Amino acid sequence: MSSADIRDMLDLPSQVPSAGRPPPAKRIKTDGKKLDGIHRELHNLLGENTHAVTVMQNKFKEKPNWMQKPSPWVWTKFKNQARKDDLELYHWVRGTPTNDEYPFAKFDKQVDVPTFSKEEYDKGLADTAWTPRETDYLFDLCREYDLRWLVIQDRYDYEPEENEPPSIRTLEDLKERYYFCCRKLMELRRDASGVDWTPRDLELYNGMNFNKDKEIMRKQYLERLLSRSPTEIAEEERLILEYRRLQESSKKLVQDREELLRLLESPQTANSFTQYQSPQGLSQLAGNILASDKNRRRKGVPEPAAQGGPVARAVPGTPNSGAHAQAVAQAQQAHVAGVQNGVHGMKQTQQTGRPSAQAAPAVSKVELAQSVTAKKVVKRVPPGEENLYGISYHDKLVQGVHLRSTRISTLKPTVQTKVASILAELGIAPKLAMPTAKVCERYEALQQAINLLIETKKQADKLDHEVKVLTSANA
């Protein structure tokens, strides 16, 4: 029994006429082909959208095309251009044979071994230990075996003549003789032609400077290195590890030293100085200083010079250095006594409510700060000699690095243009070539004087115009 029969039995209207019911949505068939390299769940998430990247893994080799026509191979003859006997050989060539150059002939590289004449030998190559015949034999072997010295030494079998003494040549003897003759030939031919040495020739000439003694010493060192026992090798490795450890310790020591110097040169404090800017803070600071001084005196520790203020040292060779040091010491004692009396008076005033009879007069905030932190006795150079020693005094230093020429004061744009024109008439450049302190000072004074003259001329012109107006009105 369907729902329509039940509605008919209960006299209920039908839900939707069958004729007006919309057709069910057609289910789109997805491609059931399984893709290699991608999971089924991930492929279902794509839905109707075609994935942008197709993952294809070629697991097998492509099937060979047996129906393709094979390429022909031809048995053909060839000549090797590196050979001088015109020998003809045969080999298989793919495709149509051509008469091109043999491809492996370009690898036949010959070493350029020089030749010499009898005159050149007599002029610069003669040696008592070598004969011309043996020298020619050596050069022929070098030319034949392309300067492969181990092969040359192995094939070296010179048979001396009856009047020649027999000789045994080592590898170092052969190298020394060959390179000596090559250098001498370059010198003789360069002097005969009169042509200057090129960089390439100089490099080749310096590269043939063979030192027989150093070569023998190098081989001896190498033999010693290869003939070491296991105990010696272990000892050398231990020494190398110790050397590396010492290097690391030295680097760490240098880093610690630099860090310590950095901390000493630029100390940084985490405390704030705002608590010492008020009179109560200054009083507390002075009390702490006096308490530390009393504790130091009780323990018998000598007072450092830095606590009482900067110590002035007499410069050797300067006039009245002893008198100056004595005056500085007296000034420091008076300064410390004044500060102590002032602080003691402040304490007594705070305790009793009235000033002490022995206390010093009341000290202002600025004077107390100057006496505690900023008052120093410094030896100055006599007046008039600052320029001689290159010394200058500044009331206030600007933070950071700057050029002195950038600190020159500028005027208004309209006035600056007039000043620049007057400076051009005087032959003075707008930019200073040597902006020293004195030059910049004179330059600013000149600018101010020119500005004053311009203002004076302006006022004079104004008064002249007013006089002319009044004169014309009275006439």
Side-chain angles (χ1 to χ4, degrees):
M1 183 180 294
S2 63
S3 60
D5 298 335
I6 295 174
R7 288 178 177 276
D8 188 22
M9 292 171 59
L10 299 175
D11 297 331
L12 296 175
S14 59
Q15 185 178 4
V16 179
S18 59
R21 182 177 299 176
K26 293 183 179 181
R27 186 177 181 181
I28 302 174
K29 294 183 179 180
T30 58
D31 191 4
K33 184 179 180 181
K34 184 179 179 181
L35 297 176
D36 295 336
I38 186 171
H39 295 285
R40 177 177 56 82
E41 293 81 0
L42 180 60
H43 183 265
N44 293 336
L45 291 176
L46 299 176
E48 301 179 2
N49 301 325
T50 305
H51 47 274
V53 180
T54 304
V55 181
M56 299 294 293
Q57 294 181 356
N58 188 8
K59 299 181 179 180
F60 304 99
K61 294 182 179 179
E62 295 182 0
K63 186 176 181 180
N65 187 8
W66 301 108
M67 303 304 295
Q68 185 179 2
K69 186 178 180 181
S71 58
W73 289 81
V74 182
W75 180 257
T76 180
K77 63 181 180 179
F78 70 96
K79 288 184 179 181
N80 188 356
Q81 287 77 13
R83 302 178 63 95
K84 300 179 180 179
D85 52 1
D86 295 336
L87 178 65
E88 292 186 355
L89 300 174
Y90 289 84
H91 64 168
W92 288 99
V93 177
R94 186 176 183 177
T96 305
T98 57
N99 295 328
D100 296 337
E101 183 180 359
Y102 185 59
F104 296 98
K106 60 183 179 181
F107 298 107
D108 184 53
K109 302 295 183 181
Q110 299 292 335
V111 180
D112 186 13
V113 178
T115 58
F116 53 88
S117 60
K118 188 176 182 304
E119 292 78 8
E120 291 176 341
Y121 185 88
D122 296 338
K123 190 173 181 180
L125 305 181
D127 193 354
T128 56
W130 290 80
T131 61
R133 182 169 173 268
E134 187 177 3
T135 305
D136 288 335
Y137 178 74
L138 173 63
F139 272 67
D140 292 338
L141 287 179
C142 293
R143 192 176 296 105
E144 181 178 359
Y145 296 111
D146 295 335
L147 292 181
R148 295 179 178 90
W149 290 107
L150 295 177
V151 182
I152 293 172
Q153 184 190 19
D154 183 69
R155 299 294 189 271
Y156 194 86
D157 188 14
Y158 176 69
E159 297 180 359
E161 295 180 350
E162 297 179 358
N163 55 351
E164 296 180 4
S167 60
I168 300 175
R169 304 298 184 183
T170 61
L171 180 60
E172 289 77 16
D173 295 334
L174 301 179
K175 286 185 177 182
E176 184 183 24
R177 180 58 178 169
Y178 174 77
Y179 290 120
F180 172 78
C181 294
C182 291
R183 285 170 63 90
K184 284 296 181 182
L185 285 174
M186 290 184 68
E187 293 177 2
L188 294 174
R189 293 173 182 176
R190 190 65 59 181
D191 295 340
S193 60
V195 182
D196 296 335
W197 290 81
T198 60
R200 183 176 180 277
D201 294 340
L202 284 175
E203 183 180 0
L204 180 61
Y205 180 80
N206 296 328
M208 290 189 296
N209 186 13
F210 181 78
N211 194 330
K212 179 181 176 181
D213 298 334
K214 287 186 178 181
E215 182 69 14
I216 294 175
M217 189 181 300
R218 184 186 68 84
K219 289 187 176 180
Q220 290 176 354
Y221 287 158
L222 185 59
E223 289 176 358
R224 293 178 186 174
L225 183 65
L226 296 176
S227 61
R228 292 177 301 167
S229 62
T231 307
E232 294 176 348
I233 294 175
E235 180 67 18
E236 184 177 353
E237 292 179 354
R238 186 187 68 80
L239 292 176
I240 291 174
L241 293 176
E242 184 69 17
Y243 173 71
R244 291 177 180 175
R245 186 183 66 80
L246 291 176
Q247 275 190 336
E248 294 294 333
S249 301
S250 177
K251 290 180 181 179
K252 186 177 180 181
L253 181 62
V254 171
Q255 291 178 358
D256 294 344
R257 181 176 177 273
E258 291 179 354
E259 182 69 18
L260 181 60
L261 291 176
R262 186 180 65 82
L263 293 176
L264 291 176
E265 291 176 357
S266 58
Q268 297 179 359
T269 177
N271 300 328
S272 177
F273 292 97
T274 56
Q275 57 179 344
Y276 302 113
Q277 294 180 357
S278 60
Q280 294 80 7
L282 291 175
S283 303
Q284 182 181 0
L285 177 61
N288 295 335
I289 294 174
L290 291 177
S292 62
D293 291 342
K294 290 180 181 179
N295 295 332
R296 190 181 297 107
R297 291 173 184 175
R298 290 175 183 176
K299 295 179 181 179
V301 180
E303 183 179 1
Q307 297 293 337
V311 177
R313 298 180 181 179
V315 181
T318 58
N320 301 328
S321 59
H324 177 74
Q326 185 177 2
V328 169
Q330 294 177 0
Q332 288 181 352
Q333 293 176 2
H335 162 66
V336 174
V339 173
Q340 292 179 356
N341 293 334
V343 173
H344 180 68
M346 291 175 61
K347 283 188 173 181
Q348 188 172 0
T349 302
Q350 293 177 359
Q351 293 176 0
T352 61
R354 62 178 181 275
S356 174
Q358 298 178 356
V363 183
S364 64
K365 174 183 174 182
V366 178
E367 292 178 354
L368 183 60
Q370 290 179 354
S371 62
V372 174
T373 59
K375 196 170 183 179
K376 297 180 181 179
V377 179
V378 182
K379 182 180 182 301
R380 290 182 177 271
V381 179
E385 297 184 4
E386 289 86 354
N387 297 331
L388 180 61
Y389 296 102
I391 300 174
S392 59
Y393 302 102
H394 304 275
D395 296 335
K396 182 180 179 182
L397 293 178
V398 182
Q399 185 179 5
V401 180
H402 65 277
L403 297 176
R404 187 181 289 110
S405 58
T406 59
R407 297 297 178 178
I408 297 176
S409 59
T410 57
L411 305 174
K412 296 180 180 180
T414 55
V415 180
Q416 189 68 33
T417 305
K418 297 178 182 179
V419 172
S421 62
I422 295 175
L423 289 175
E425 293 179 2
L426 297 175
I428 300 175
K431 292 186 179 180
L432 299 177
M434 188 64 66
T436 60
K438 185 177 293 186
V439 172
C440 292
E441 183 181 357
R442 298 291 180 85
Y443 186 77
E444 288 187 355
L446 179 60
Q447 277 190 339
Q448 296 297 332
I450 293 175
N451 186 21
L452 181 59
L453 290 176
I454 292 175
E455 292 294 334
T456 305
K457 185 177 181 301
K458 183 178 179 182
Q459 296 295 332
D461 293 341
K462 182 178 180 181
L463 293 175
D464 190 13
H465 178 69
E466 291 179 358
V467 169
K468 290 182 180 179
V469 171
L470 293 175
T471 304
S472 60
N474 294 332

